[in-house]
Amino acid sequence: MSSETKQHLNTQVLVGFTDQRGTAWHYKKDEQGDEPNHYTQAIPVEDVLRRLFAWHAIELPMFVHTSQGEVEVPNRKAIVRDDTFNVLGVPSKTYLPHQYDEWLLTKVGNLIDDDLSIGSAGLLKGGAVAWVQIEMPENMKVAGVEFRPHLLATTSFNGEIATLYKRCSTIVVCDNTRNSALRETSDELRVKHTSQSMLRLNDARQALNIVHQLGDDFAAEIEQLMAMNVSDRVFDRFLNVLVPSDSENSKQLQTRADSTRSTLRSMWQTDIRCAPFRNTGFGVVQTVNTWRQHVKPTRMGRSMMERTMMDTLTGITEVADREVVEMLVGVS
């Protein structure tokens, strides 16, 4: 079973600006209890504090049971929630937890301009991973594509990701979330979990200012991809590279590859999230990204929401989008 249930996604993930981009795919009213997790406009900071970050992580020593009694584990400690005492991680003793309310709200809140607000926030893996998305309140539009620049602030207590502030963009033709960095890198600020860690205010302010400037940069990327002509024949060649069919593979693997290519081709032609951009480079990126986030089967019982958010937080989505563009250029 996935660690993220439908109830978790509808109570521990908050989604804002639904008037502009609709509800998230996991929206289920009867799983939300007495309080909905979707907001028509920005999510109030007070709600994020109350609903997600009302607890803190504390550090406790670790012990193992031996025939001579309990022995403390050297160079390790447990990071646990102070409300449930669930273990979130077992890092080295030099690891410094970055409390969510301080690093994802207070420190960022001191730097935010008036026209920036919270678009989404959430917890994953029992609270071991968290994020807050700060974004512009209004959509921008170029070449028929709507998007919204934002800054993703995220950290963890299990050592999976450092505290990270990264510029991204939300595509709002559906509830897809994808990184803006179709180029090789995008600007970010990382803070390690050490005793010397601190939020460098000047660097952070510069990163936040980039959110304002991101619109022009991302618009140029979209225009470039929209101007790339991709015929159906070229798209088929692209699919053969993306999902190759090797005659040496088993019949089952070949059948699976054929089915995946057929699904992607159908989405390219008819899916409302992809078809409006058919025969363009942007349409190729949008089709593969939509398939990866909403159709591609998950492994080991993970939910699609968990996979999507972790791929975004760890940069996997960014790399995958860039690889799609490189493959497309190679067959064009």
Side-chain angles (χ1 to χ4, degrees), residues 119-131:
S120 74
L123 299 172
L124 295 173
K125 299 190 175 184
V129 177
W131 82 91

Side-chain angles (χ1 to χ4, degrees), residues 28-45:
K28 196 168 184 180
K29 187 176 181 180
D30 59 2
E31 295 282 4
Q32 296 176 11
D34 297 332
E35 189 172 12
N37 72 325
H38 281 57
Y39 296 76
T40 57
Q41 299 299 321
I43 304 167
V45 173

